[in-house]
Structures are given as structure tokens and as C-alpha cells.
DNA sequence: CTTAGCACTCCACAACCGAGAGTGCTAATA
DNA sequence: TATTAGCACTCTCGGTTGTGGAGTGCTAAG
């Protein structure tokens, strides 16, 4: 198995390779990290590590490059360490805090910020509100047989949708309808009242039964579907990187980041577990991203689950990425001020 | 000046260069376009065109490449021609039409669609509503001293903003306030009623004067600022293109497309004049876009001014781009069905 | 177990060369 | 006078060759 020194060597190689991007030779390790051992000794270790699939050589007589397996080792190691905020992003964090009121705007800004600070790609997914409690319901007549459904949720989130009703209604009728719906539905979780409401309108409002059914169906659609929203920022950052010199692959990646479903797939691994989550290279569910790693974490902002992350090359600076992400996340999340690791 | 044949030659060169991307030689022109003239004759013309700055050579003994000046000539020429819809995008247009109800969603989809069909970058800017007529005003209490301002405009556009008031108010007070504001402001252009409203609340509601002033100020902010919204789609399309082999420049371009102001600058040239508008290479106001051309046009969708465009390399297929853009725009714009050129 | 020494491998880079495409010029032609 | 054929010249592109350097694997000695 892995001896203590094997571990030292492989971690050193990952560290060095992340910094330089060049295959790492035995001399380098001997000179910079394990000063009391000669290059030849290191070479033997490296040879072992190669058969264990922690390293590989692009060709004989080149240095070694870490495999995803080695990165995993490295990442697990630094996850145990304590980190501190990067100092340079303080001003931006203030700016971010100012936008925290609107979750969508905040996440949009956060992704751009992540991109700017780290030079990787920032991504975010904003989930539905944790508990959907209606605060206000309005039906507004827009034209013949079309009405605007307007729902204000507790917490200030607003949903609206223009719908076509089976038959025309005056604004007065609609007001009456929204009044009745309000008395039943406002202040309680939607899940609890939906069926009650259904029964109630069937019973009391048989005059507009069709319209009511449509309206409630639409409301239910709005409130239970509540799709994730996705954000990206700084996609252009990875353009110059030597790790992405294959433009075809890079194009595939950029293409994915324009589709909501793909981003959804990427972050879904994180949605389960709490806290930081890192997928390296081909660990992640979309094969086009095999050259990328994703560092992500979840938070609650404005009562909604959010996943914020960074996409970079497998050879990304995980340590710094984690720090920055935690900084952003701390600022973003509902339990306010810096709450972890801080300086 | 430009003789008839000079023109023929330069147009042929642009046409051929757009198709192949290779410098065009005199033989090619003689063989494919001006069959009754020899290569030597064409060479003389080309020499003239070079001193007139319509063409240039990347090096001696290469063919000629058109300058922006030549592209301008070419574009002006094809603008005069009648075009027909590209047949292949019919299914997508139907899809687009289905989303026309919500201008924002429609434009988002339109840019992605443009990207997909043309393999260039789709952009769009959505302006403010032409006439801001309030249909409904609500103030909703969210917490101590914070309230949600909810404005429904004629046409179905919704604005909302959470504001902090100078002093706390009950929901009843807020309802009264919104009732009063509604009676004055609903159904008339905001510009006409703002001052009336101001005077009225000062007069009749001196009890909440501070709050009213804040509320009206915020409303005015929402309704008069009404910033443009911007959309992009298919940014990854240009990645493989040989015209953008300088990754540094490409990165600058992609960076710009993430900033709203930059896109604003790019489309502002179009906002003035009606109809189609093409900027070629360094004609456009942002120097980083000197390798790009933009084909754009404006429309009205959902009562709002929209500018939709395509960004491609200077060597883009203008003819096809224009066709596609017109197709999209026709589907998108308020006066409904295909209204120009169409098959 | 560790290390110095050495032969070997392979890449990266530069120099070189020839083929091909296209031009400019000149002199002949209609 | 406008057009064209012919020809020498230039420049790029692709392939080949050669060299320096970095790094390895192996062996034998400490």
C-alpha cells in the first residue's frame, strides 16, 4: 500500500504540477520537497506510484503527471486543513452583500465575481423556496379570456404567469375569486391547502368551475414546478488556458454551460450532501467535462437552496478556489456574516 | 474611380473569400466569375483595387483579401436584393412563436436560436415599454419597515422591488395608500400622473408623508429607469473558427459579451435608425470587436423595443445572416406573421 | 535501503529544402 | 489602346533532419 513517503511524493507532485503545469521530475521533488532524499530514491517511489495509477508519464523520459486518483488524494488532504480568506476580495464581498436582498441578482453577481477573482468559471443554481407559503394572490384581467396570475410568496418572491381561461371573466369576478382563494390559501403551506382549495371552489364556486380549475392548475404548476434557475459567469476566463488547448473540447464545454439541464446535472451531485463537494475530471456525470473539476457548495439564501461553484481545469488551484468559494458563500448565505474559517 | 468591372471583381472576391476563407487569386476570379477575361487582366484590376484600399495581400505571392471597405461595398449590394427565408428553420420558428407572450423569455430563446441556426453569436437588447401605463399598484408589507412595491403595467409587464420605508406601516395603511395611488395613477401614462400624484399625496396623506415620498420616489425609479435587458446565445459557436484563431482577442470579445454595458454600446448604433443595420469590423464602437461584424435590426415585441442581432467574424455569411435574422424578427415582432420578403 | 553514475529515450525547436500558388512585368497581339 | 501569354520571382507550407536537454531506468557501490 501507500507508505508515508509515497504519500508525500504524490502530494508534492500534485502541488508542483498545479503550480507549473509541466510534468514533474524526480530532481524537482528531491530539491524542493524531500531535500534529504536523492532523486534516485524518489524515482523508485515514482515508479511504484505509477503502477498504482497515481501518476503517469506522457512519454518515457518526461516527468510524471498526476492522475485523477492523485488529485483526489490531494483534495482530500487539503480539505482537512484550515483555510483563510483571500484578502484581495474584501471590497467585492461588500458589493455582494449589498445585493443579497434579491437572490437572483445576488447569484448572478456571485458567479461573475467568482469568475473575476479566480479566473475560472463561476456557476450557480438557485432552487425553489424551501416552504411555499402564499402571502398574496391576485388575478388580473389582461384581455378577452386572458388573465395574469400573480403570486407573492412569503419572503418576497414573486411568480406571475399569463394564462388563457376557458371563458371570459370581468375583473370583479376575478377579484372575488382571488379573494376567496386568498382566505383559504394565504399564510399556509401550499401543499397543505391545495386539495382543500380544490374541493372548496368545486363546491362554492361552481359557477366558474372551469375557470377555477384552470386557475388552480396553473397555480399549482407555478408553485410545485418551480424550476431551478442557473447562472454562469466568467466563461471566457478559461480560453487562454493551456489545459484547454483542444478547442473542440472547450467548445463542447462552453456549449453545455449554455444549457440549463447540463448545469443541473453537474451540480446535482452536490445537492444531496451538505458542505463542500469536489468532483475531479471524469468523476463528474457529464463526459464532456472530463477535463474539468468542479468545486461547489450549497447554501441557503433568501430562504432558497442555492448551489454555488467553480469550474476549472483538473489542474486548478483547489486550495484557493475553496477559500474564495467559502468567502462568497459565507457572504451570500442567510446566517449572515462570515461564519467559518475566517481570519 | 471604380469602373463597372472593378466592382464586379471586388464583389466576386468578397463572395469567394466569404465562402473559402482563403486569399483569392486572379486565376480563380477569371475561371469562376469573369470567364471571358484572362487572369492577367484581372490582375491589373486587382492591382488598382489594392491601391484604392479595397484589397490587400497578406504577403507577396498570395491572393487578395478584402478590406472592410470592400465588405461594405458587398453588404450594400446585397441589401438591395430581395431575400427569401431559409427553409430549414421553420420548426424552430413555431417554437419561438409559442413563447412570444413573455418578451424576456422570447428574446432569450431567440438569441439561442440565432446561435444554433447560423453558428454565430445571437444577441438581443430589450428596451423599456413604449408607454408606461400602470394597471395595478400594490404595496405589501414584508416586515418591520420593509415593503414590497408591486407594479403591473398595461401589457402584463411586472415590476417589483423591496424597499425600506422611513417608518413602519400596517398592511391596512399600505392598502389604503395603494388604493389612493391606484385611483390617481392607474390607466394613465406615468409621466402624466407623477407630479399630480406627488402633489396629491402631499396634500391628502400628510400623515404618511415621508413614506409616500419614499414610495413614489421608488416607483419613479422603477418606471423611468427601466434599463435595457441583454441576452446572448451561442457564444461558443465562434470557438473553432479560423477567423478567431487569436485566443487573446477572442477572450476579449467573450468577456465583453458578459457585460451589459458593452452589448449596449454595440447595439446603440441600431437603436436610432429603423430596419436592418450592419457594422463591419472596426466600424463598430468597441475596438475589441474589430474582428467582428454585427447584423442587427429592431422590432417591437410585447410593446417594447427590441434589438436583435448576430455577431460573427467579418468574413461572415451576410446574406444568410440577414435572412435568418429577418425570419426571427418577423416571428417575434408584434405585427405578427411573416410580413416581409417571405416565401 | 540509499545513492551516484551512466547509457538511453524522447521531445522540442530550429534549420533546411522543395513544391506550389500567385504575383508583377514585359512583349506580343487584336 | 486594351488584352493576353509567358516568365522570372517571391513567399508560404509541409515534411525532414539534426541537436540539446531533461528525465528516466538500471546497476553497482556505500
Amino acid at each position: 500500500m501507500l507508505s508515508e513517503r509515497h504519500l508525500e511524493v504524490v502530494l508534492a507532485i500534485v502541488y508542483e504540477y498545479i503550480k507549473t503545469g509541466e510534468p514533474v521530475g524526480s530532481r524537482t521533488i528531491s530539491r524542493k520537497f524531500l531535500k534529504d532524499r536523492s532523486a534516485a530514491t524518489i524515482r523508485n517511489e515514482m515508479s511504484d506510484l505509477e503502477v498504482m495509477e497515481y501518476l503517469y508519464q506522457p512519454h518515457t523520459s518526461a516527468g510524471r503527471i498526476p492522475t485523477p486518483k492523485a488529485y483526489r488524494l490531494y483534495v482530500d488532504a487539503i480539505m482537512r486543513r484550515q483555510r483563510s480568506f483571500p484578502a484581495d476580495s474584501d471590497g467585492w464581498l461588500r458589493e455582494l452583500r449589498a445585493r443579497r436582498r434579491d437572490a437572483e441578482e445576488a447569484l448572478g453577481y456571485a458567479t461573475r465575481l467568482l469568475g473575476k477573482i479566480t479566473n475560472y468559471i463561476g456557476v450557480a443554481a438557485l432552487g425553489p423556496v424551501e416552504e411555499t407559503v402564499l402571502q398574496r394572490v391576485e388575478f388580473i384581467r389582461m384581455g378577452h379570456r386572458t388573465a395574469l396570475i400573480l403570486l407573492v410568496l412569503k419572503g418576497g418572491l414573486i411568480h406571475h404567469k399569463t394564462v388563457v381561461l376557458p371563458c371570459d371573466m370581468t375583473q370583479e369576478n376575478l377579484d372575488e375569486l382571488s379573494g376567496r382563494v386568498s382566505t383559504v390559501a394565504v399564510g399556509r403551506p401550499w401543499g397543505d391547502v391545495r386539495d382543500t382549495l380544490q374541493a372548496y371552489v368545486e363546491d362554492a364556486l361552481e359557477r366558474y368551475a372551469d375557470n377555477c380549475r384552470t386557475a388552480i392548475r396553473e397555480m399549482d404548476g407555478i408553485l410545485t414546478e418551480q424550476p431551478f434557475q442557473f447562472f454562469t459567469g466568467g466563461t471566457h476566463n478559461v480560453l487562454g488556458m493551456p489545459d484547454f488547448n483542444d478547442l473542440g473540447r472547450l467548445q463542447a464545454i462552453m456549449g453545455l454551460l449554455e444549457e440549463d439541464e447540463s448545469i443541473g446535472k453537474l451540480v446535482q451531485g452536490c445537492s444531496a450532501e451538505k458542505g463542500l463537494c469536489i468532483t475531479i475530471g471524469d468523476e463528474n456525470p457529464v463526459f464532456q467535462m472530463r477535463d474539468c473539476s468542479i468545486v461547489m457548495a450549497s447554501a441557503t439564501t433568501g430562504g432558497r437552496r442555492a448551489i454555488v461553484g467553480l469550474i476549472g481545469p483538473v489542474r486548478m488551484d483547489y486550495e484557493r478556489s475553496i477559500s474564495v468559494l467559502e468567502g462568497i458563500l459565507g457572504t451570500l448565505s442567510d446566517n449572515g456574516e462570515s461564519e467559518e474559517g475566517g481570519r
Side-chain angles (χ1 to χ4, degrees), chain A:
Chain A
M1 267 319 305
L2 273 185
S3 74
E4 179 65 26
R5 203 164 62 212
H6 278 135
L7 191 64
E8 281 183 66
V9 170
V10 70
L11 292 186
I13 290 178
V14 175
Y15 179 86
E16 188 67 11
Y17 185 68
I18 285 178
K19 229 172 39 181
T20 65
E22 303 284 310
V24 187
S26 51
R27 281 186 65 88
T28 315
I29 299 300
S30 157
R31 223 177 325 126
K32 292 203 197 170
F33 299 93
L34 292 155
K35 299 200 179 79
D36 46 352
R37 296 289 92 144
S38 80
T41 311
I42 308 291
R43 268 206 289 284
N44 289 327
E45 313 276 337
M46 284 165 104
S47 188
D48 296 347
L49 287 166
E50 185 156 10
V51 304
M52 288 191 276
E53 305 207 290
Y54 285 102
L55 301 176
Y56 73 94
Q57 291 178 282
H59 54 84
T60 22
S61 96
R64 302 305 210 287
I65 292 177
T67 65
K69 203 171 161 189
Y71 281 108
R72 171 52 61 196
L73 220 57
Y74 177 79
V75 165
D76 290 347
I78 62 173
M79 294 263 270
R80 257 176 253 119
R81 245 185 284 168
Q82 206 50 267
R83 274 168 309 279
S84 67
F85 270 41
D88 52 342
S89 50
D90 262 17
W92 281 325
L93 285 192
R94 236 191 312 283
E95 181 76 19
L96 175 60
R97 194 168 308 134
R99 302 180 188 228
R100 222 173 47 182
R101 196 173 295 273
D102 181 345
E104 297 171 27
E105 203 192 320
L107 279 192
Y109 187 75
T111 53
R112 269 170 287 151
L113 198 53
L114 280 168
K116 225 176 267 169
I117 298 178
T118 63
N119 266 303
Y120 299 134
I121 302 176
V123 291
L126 184 57
V129 290
E130 300 278 79
E131 45 161 30
T132 52
V133 176
L134 285 171
Q135 170 154 2
R136 194 140 183 153
V137 180
E138 301 275 352
F139 301 118
I140 300 170
R141 188 174 185 282
M142 300 307 293
H144 176 68
R145 280 184 50 199
T146 60
L148 181 71
I149 296 181
L150 189 58
L151 305 177
V152 180
L153 294 184
K154 190 152 158 285
L157 191 63
I158 288 170
H159 287 293
H160 60 91
K161 189 177 181 189
T162 308
V163 299
V164 178
L165 296 173
C167 59
D168 203 13
M169 284 176 87
T170 64
Q171 183 62 54
E172 285 72 39
N173 294 149
L174 287 171
D175 282 344
E176 188 193 343
L177 186 58
S178 58
R180 288 180 188 253
V181 171
S182 294
T183 50
V184 178
V186 161
R188 270 182 288 166
W190 174 247
D192 297 357
V193 300
R194 180 179 40 194
D195 297 331
T196 333
L197 194 60
Q198 189 80 45
Y200 170 72
V201 296
E202 288 286 346
D203 196 36
L205 296 169
E206 79 286 345
R207 213 165 19 125
Y208 321 120
D210 267 2
N211 279 346
C212 290
R213 267 193 289 273
T214 305
I216 291 176
R217 187 161 9 91
E218 293 284 357
M219 283 175 68
D220 196 44
I222 295 169
L223 293 173
T224 56
E225 277 173 22
Q226 283 206 77
F228 271 74
Q229 284 177 281
F230 298 97
F231 307 85
T232 59
T235 45
H236 59 279
N237 284 328
V238 297
L239 252 143
M241 295 196 179
D243 312 75
F244 295 111
N245 53 10
D246 182 333
L247 285 187
R249 291 193 180 191
L250 184 55
Q251 187 174 17
I253 294 169
M254 306 279 264
L256 281 188
L257 294 180
E258 271 197 15
E259 292 167 22
D260 286 352
E261 311 111 70
S262 318
I263 305 183
K265 252 193 220 156
L266 289 180
V267 301
Q268 78 188 1
C270 183
S271 55
E273 61 187 284
K274 202 72 190 174
L276 206 60
C277 167
I278 301 182
T279 56
I280 299 168
D282 48 18
E283 282 176 14
N284 76 54
V286 187
F287 85 96
Q288 288 98 327
M289 303 289 285
R290 62 191 175 286
D291 301 322
C292 302
S293 283
I294 311 178
V295 179
M296 52 192 165
S298 66
T300 305
T301 182
R304 303 169 72 179
R305 263 180 57 67
I307 299 168
V308 184
L310 269 169
I311 298 181
V314 174
R315 192 180 75 75
M316 77 196 285
D317 184 341
Y318 294 93
E319 197 143 17
R320 189 173 136 80
S321 298
I322 295 171
S323 307
V324 173
L325 189 60
E326 283 183 345
I328 299 277
L329 230 61
T331 312
L332 210 54
S333 75
D334 280 344
N335 41 3
E337 236 3 277
S338 60
E339 91 285 38
E340 57 200 335
R343 55 158 61 203

